Amino acid sequence: DAGITQSPRHKVTETGTPVTLRCHQTENHRYMYWYRQDPGHGLRLIHYSYGVKDTDKGEVSDGYSVSRSKTEDFLLTLESATSSQTSVYFCATGGSTDTQYFGPGTRLTVL
Amino acid sequence: RKEVEQDPGPFNVPEGATVAFNCTYSNSASQSFFWYRQDCRKEPKLLMSVYSSGNEDGRFTAQLNRASQYISLLIRDSKLSDSATYLCVVNKGGGSQGNLIFGKGTKLSVKP
């Protein structure tokens, strides 16, 4: 398994507050991804990165931004959290364009 | 047609049974196929890749039919520890920078 950690693992916040989730990897993988997983929807891609400072939008990017200033870290920011962003967030990394390894997830609740 | 479609289950089987899951995908440009396993409240973990020639890993066999755009996973001699949700995963193809499309998963429950 890739060495992938996510922080925080659990967070409760209020509507309208900014939230930043962190993904850290020790595998020197080029590709990093942020997904959200909700009942009835499966895993949906929010944003991804194909290198330092190189990012692109996924299918559910509205309300989210990302940054990758170094290979090992990929940050996901909710500029102004809404209740619809209550979800489980998974980070994934990959050294090639296909195989992805997942972090343990962050459970976010927006009240 | 949904991009990746799976029967959500649940499949309830006794220990020792053989169980098969199927998955269909809509994008004929997809080139890579996988099965992931996800335990309750845990992250998805790669179970196996799926190759055109079919591949086997112990009790698990995966098959791909490109003409029908169909993937299968066969589990023989089911164990209690096989209880999980199995995700069918397909890449977008066309140089999509590694974007994968995940099915919603098939839940398996193996009973004593």
Side-chain angles (χ1 to χ4, degrees), chain A residues 37 40 97-98 100 103 107, chain B residues 32 36 38 41 43 98 100 104:
Chain A
Q37 188 172 37
T97 55
D98 283 332
Q100 294 181 17
R107 293 188 173 274
Chain B
S32 302
Y36 278 70
Q38 188 172 22
R41 300 177 73 85
E43 72 271 26
L100 300 179
K104 294 179 184 180

Side-chain angles (χ1 to χ4, degrees), chain B:
Chain B
R1 187 179 187 181
K2 293 179 184 176
E3 288 187 287
V4 178
E5 197 156 5
Q6 299 181 247
D7 181 342
F11 285 59
N12 298 309
V13 303
E15 269 187 296
T18 295
V19 61
F21 306 137
N22 302 318
C23 166
T24 56
Y25 63 95
S26 61
N27 185 357
S28 59
S30 295
Q31 295 293 324
S32 302
F33 310 90
F34 309 91
W35 284 101
Y36 278 70
R37 169 199 169 121
Q38 188 172 22
D39 294 294
C40 187
R41 300 177 73 85
K42 297 287 188 181
E43 72 271 26
K45 292 186 177 180
L46 179 64
L47 180 65
M48 59 197 304
S49 301
V50 186
Y51 304 117
S52 296
S53 56
N55 49 302
E56 188 174 312
D57 183 2
R59 298 181 292 108
F60 299 83
T61 300
Q63 296 278 353
L64 168 65
N65 183 322
R66 286 186 186 272
S68 301
Q69 296 181 198
Y70 168 99
I71 305 161
S72 66
L73 177 68
L74 182 77
I75 305 175
R76 292 182 298 277
D77 188 23
S78 299
K79 312 291 184 190
L80 296 176
S81 58
D82 293 334
S83 296
T85 297
Y86 291 83
L87 308 177
C88 175
V89 184
V90 173
N91 84 332
K92 274 193 172 180
S96 59
Q97 302 277 15
N99 285 359
L100 300 179
I101 305 297
F102 288 78
K104 294 179 184 180
T106 298
K107 187 172 182 179
L108 171 65
S109 181
V110 182
K111 306 291 188 184

Side-chain angles (χ1 to χ4, degrees), chain A residues 5-14 18-22 34 78 85-90 103-111, chain B residues 40-43:
Chain A
T5 56
Q6 293 185 231
S7 59
R9 293 293 314 280
H10 302 269
K11 186 170 182 67
V12 180
T13 191
E14 294 187 349
V19 176
T20 295
L21 308 183
R22 180 181 183 236
W34 277 107
L78 290 64
Q85 293 176 312
T86 292
S87 187
V88 180
Y89 290 86
F90 287 105
T106 294
R107 293 188 173 274
L108 176 67
T109 301
V110 183
L111 301 176
Chain B
C40 187
R41 300 177 73 85
K42 297 287 188 181
E43 72 271 26

Side-chain angles (χ1 to χ4, degrees), chain A residues 14-34:
Chain A
E14 294 187 349
T15 298
T17 60
V19 176
T20 295
L21 308 183
R22 180 181 183 236
C23 178
H24 179 77
Q25 57 124 341
T26 58
E27 299 297 313
N28 200 34
H29 284 167
R30 176 183 176 187
Y31 300 94
M32 297 186 76
Y33 309 84
W34 277 107

